[in-house]
Amino acid sequence: MKSAIVLNKMFGTGIFVTPTVVLTIVNSKGVAILLWLAGGLLTWAGLAMYLEYGIRFPLTGGELHYIDHVWSKPPLLFPYMYSFIFVVLSGSQANALSFGKAVIIANTSEGAPIDSRLQKTFSIAIIGIVCLLQAYSRINYVRFNNLFAVYKILLLSFLTVTGWCALGGKRSTSAAAMGKPYGLDNLRDNGFADAERQPYGFALALLSIMRVFLGYENANFVLEEVQRPPGDESRIYRRASKFTVLGVTFFYLMVNIAFFASSTTEDLQKTSDALGLFFKNVFGPSYETRKASGIIQAISASGNIMSYTYANVRVKQEIARLGILPWPEFWARTTNRGEPGPALLLTFTFTTIMIIAAPLDNANGYLVISTLFTYARTFVGLLLGFGLLAAPWLKSFKYGSDPWRPHGSRLGLWTLIPLVLLYICGNFFVLVFSWWPSDVQKSLKTATTVLPSMTGPIIGTVFLIAGAVYWVWDLYILRWLGYTTEVLAETQEESELDVQMYFHRNINGFALRVYELMSVITKTMGKLFAWIGF
């Protein structure tokens, strides 16, 4: 299950969309390949860091608890900021929108326009179906998740082998009849010529690639559900994570090479369906190849949504248990089926809002909506990176009276420190140069309406600031209005870690009336959930 969670989250539809986006931005197949290699290195560096956090703090909730333990002053500030962006921005909207588009592609002819309203309808539908499936049958949900993982391994292997055949010039007779450049010469075409030289372009391209690689941290979100064999509790966690990340990195590079070998730079820059173009150039133009492309992308998106939702809702349940959400008792509740029903409702609600708000009529609208959480999360990545560098001197990392030492690799600090520094530098580059002014229309080679280059960074920063403002409201202004904070502590089995749980209680008349009203509402919602079978 561990490898399936990571694989399904890492491999969605991003690998079918992002290669053309990156190539369009950097205008060079050689630079694009180097950026994908850089994305793989950053992912490996991030994995090394997350392994250390996961081994030291084996708690469901992942980053939420890491940042709480390491950056404990000011108390709860950073967990509030993280929770705000996670609840609002961390959904499966990007893959849901890709699912909606894939369904339309599978049922229309080449050149047909994509109706954004219909695309969003399909996107909301798949989110609702996934949430309902998890709410009603966890065992079947896990089985589907494992089945999707097997499917994705087979698909990636097929695309890799087919790409090797393309490098050798092999294609169908009908594809050869089109007379388009093909094979190794295509891969060499525009290798490093006319490459983008603006820092913003590289930052945007790398940010897009980092979003595709996200998912290696997925197991950290549900770490208490991962098997922990006596004697070496982290063995399964370590090996499955490393094996999956190495495999996905290899396959991502091979899929890019397959796309680049089968199509010219100009053709790839003109399409948003790289997989469909690949099938067309390898197997020939037909309705069947377009349909196959749409079906494959829809299935891949579904697996990603299932895996991400499974881990995502448990983090939101942990956020509620920390008392960060209003009415935490409700959102932290587990249904009579043993599932986090209210957290599923929260995920469905905010993901739907993001889907509806997605500015798909803009040429870079999908790019902004898909990388928004990734940009905001780079701030969290920097905090965790600096925290791990200081781990030998931090009290929270010590095992009783024993000093902390790395457990993710036998090479210890000699390997860990360079990787953490690499991870920090990569995140810092994206965080800073995403603000660099740029002509987005020129970067994306389009004359249509585009959002300004700083739209994503501004929105991401606004949400981080909003989290800090919410922290001030929740811990200081509410106290002035009459609320007190009751602190409860819970010790996790085997880890001996204290997880603070904060629940607000009122003491004056005005706060009492508000609290009683909210209690009635949450109890009514609880009864409604029980009535419909949650």
Side-chain angles (χ1 to χ4, degrees):
M1 177 181 172
K2 164 67 173 61
S3 293
I5 289 176
V6 176
L7 178 63
N8 276 324
K9 174 60 179 68
M10 291 187 72
F11 177 39
T13 57
I15 187 58
F16 302 138
V17 177
T18 307
T20 59
V21 173
V22 172
L23 183 59
T24 301
I25 294 173
V26 301
N27 198 39
S28 165
K29 289 181 176 178
V31 172
I33 291 292
L34 290 178
L35 283 175
W36 280 95
L37 278 170
L41 288 175
L42 285 175
T43 301
W44 186 255
L47 175 64
M49 188 177 77
Y50 274 81
L51 283 176
E52 296 301 336
Y53 274 109
I55 293 171
R56 180 61 191 94
F57 307 107
L59 303 169
T60 291
E63 297 162 333
L64 175 68
H65 293 306
Y66 308 157
I67 204 170
D68 187 24
H69 279 84
V70 175
W71 294 88
S72 55
K73 293 181 180 181
L76 287 177
L77 171 61
F78 294 116
Y80 264 78
M81 295 173 69
Y82 174 80
S83 299
F84 198 91
I85 65 170
F86 195 92
V87 171
V88 179
L89 302 179
S90 175
S92 298
Q93 55 268 9
N95 272 282
L97 288 168
S98 295
F99 172 86
K101 183 178 180 180
V103 171
I104 296 175
I105 288 175
N107 291 278
T108 57
S109 57
E110 186 175 359
I114 302 295
D115 188 330
S116 61
R117 293 170 299 179
L118 186 60
Q119 179 183 357
K120 291 182 179 182
T121 300
F122 286 131
S123 303
I124 294 171
I126 188 62
I127 292 294
I129 291 171
V130 167
C131 288
L132 286 174
L133 177 60
Q134 182 176 347
Y136 278 98
S137 180
R138 179 182 181 276
I139 185 63
N140 287 326
Y141 192 90
V142 173
R143 288 170 179 168
F144 273 119
N145 189 65
N146 293 337
L147 185 63
F148 276 122
V150 174
Y151 155 80
K152 290 180 178 183
I153 291 174
L154 294 175
L155 174 60
L156 288 169
S157 300
F158 169 75
L159 293 176
T160 298
V161 174
T162 307
W164 291 341
C165 293
L167 277 174
K170 305 296 182 182
R171 54 179 165 173
S172 70
T173 304
S174 58
M178 293 191 298
K180 291 192 177 234
Y182 191 77
L184 191 59
D185 291 337
N186 248 357
L187 188 62
R188 293 170 178 164
D189 170 47
N190 194 29
F192 290 95
D194 302 321
E196 170 68 38
R197 288 176 172 80
Q198 292 297 320
Y200 174 81
F202 288 107
L204 183 60
L206 189 58
L207 183 63
S208 301
I209 291 172
M210 287 169 64
R211 183 190 73 83
V212 181
F213 273 104
L214 275 182
Y216 60 87
E217 80 290 352
N218 221 31
N220 291 57
F221 292 162
V222 291
L223 204 50
E224 292 176 47
E225 299 183 27
V226 176
Q227 293 180 3
R228 297 172 58 81
D232 191 358
E233 288 80 4
S234 64
R235 184 180 73 245
I236 293 177
Y237 168 55
R238 294 196 317 269
R239 292 179 180 177
S241 295
K242 292 178 180 179
F243 173 78
T244 305
V245 169
L246 282 175
V248 170
T249 302
F250 167 77
F251 280 128
Y252 277 3
L253 289 173
M254 291 300 102
V255 170
N256 271 272
I257 289 173
F259 289 168
F260 291 170
S262 62
S263 306
T264 63
T265 301
E266 292 74 19
D267 286 343
L268 284 167
Q269 290 175 336
K270 292 177 183 177
T271 185
S272 60
D273 182 15
L275 183 63
L277 181 62
F278 173 71
F279 282 163
K280 177 182 177 181
N281 290 339
V282 173
F283 301 109
S286 67
Y287 175 72
E288 285 72 21
T289 55
R290 179 177 171 85
K291 190 178 186 69
S293 170
I295 292 173
I296 286 173
Q297 292 184 66
I299 296 175
S300 298
S302 301
N304 179 278
I305 294 168
M306 290 188 71
S307 176
Y308 190 74
T309 302
Y310 185 87
N312 185 283
V313 296
R314 280 154 177 79
V315 177
K316 290 174 181 175
Q317 194 176 35
E318 288 296 304
I319 291 172
R321 289 177 62 248
L322 286 177
I324 294 175
L325 289 175
W327 317 295
E329 298 92 334
F330 173 73
W331 298 114
R333 178 175 175 266
T334 300
T335 68
N336 55 13
R337 294 176 181 269
E339 290 300 319
L344 283 166
L345 175 63
L346 196 66
T347 296
F348 174 78
T349 301
F350 280 101
T351 304
T352 299
I353 291 172
M354 294 296 293
I355 290 172
I356 294 173
L360 298 182
D361 293 333
N362 289 268
N364 62 333
Y366 174 82
L367 189 61
V368 170
I369 204 72
S370 63
T371 57
L372 194 55
F373 175 67
T374 312
Y375 174 82
R377 191 176 170 277
T378 56
F379 174 75
V380 178
L382 287 174
L383 290 178
L384 294 179
F386 286 121
L388 195 58
L389 288 179
W393 300 277
L394 292 178
K395 182 180 178 181
S396 58
F397 271 90
K398 292 182 179 180
Y399 292 90
S401 59
D402 297 330
W404 175 82
R405 62 182 180 83
H407 288 74
S409 170
R410 294 179 180 178
L411 298 178
L413 290 172
W414 292 103
T415 301
L416 183 62
I417 290 179
L419 289 175
V420 174
L421 289 174
L422 175 64
Y423 184 80
I424 290 174
C425 290
N427 280 272
F428 185 77
F429 174 80
V430 169
L431 194 69
V432 172
F433 285 102
S434 292
W435 290 90
W436 197 273
S438 177
D439 187 346
V440 181
Q441 286 184 319
K442 181 181 178 181
S443 298
L444 297 179
K445 296 176 178 59
T446 180
T448 59
T449 306
V450 296
L451 295 171
S453 62
M454 289 186 286
T455 301
I458 289 174
I459 296 176
T461 303
V462 166
F463 275 103
L464 286 169
I465 295 173
V469 172
Y470 178 54
W471 170 74
V472 173
W473 163 265
D474 208 35
L475 294 188
Y476 296 97
I477 297 179
L478 280 182
R479 182 180 301 172
W480 179 76
L481 291 175
Y483 279 79
T484 57
T485 303
E486 178 184 351
V487 182
L488 306 176
E490 163 179 292
T491 301
Q492 304 292 314
E493 293 183 3
E494 300 180 6
S495 66
E496 298 182 354
L497 296 170
D498 287 335
V499 177
Q500 299 296 321
M501 301 172 63
Y502 301 85
F503 296 97
H504 294 294
R505 295 293 185 268
N506 53 295
I507 57 175
N508 67 25
F510 171 76
L512 177 62
R513 287 191 293 272
V514 173
Y515 179 77
E516 288 177 345
L517 177 61
M518 293 301 101
S519 296
V520 170
I521 293 174
T522 55
K523 287 179 181 178
T524 302
M525 292 179 69
K527 290 179 180 179
L528 178 61
F529 272 97
W531 180 73
I532 64 177
F534 271 24

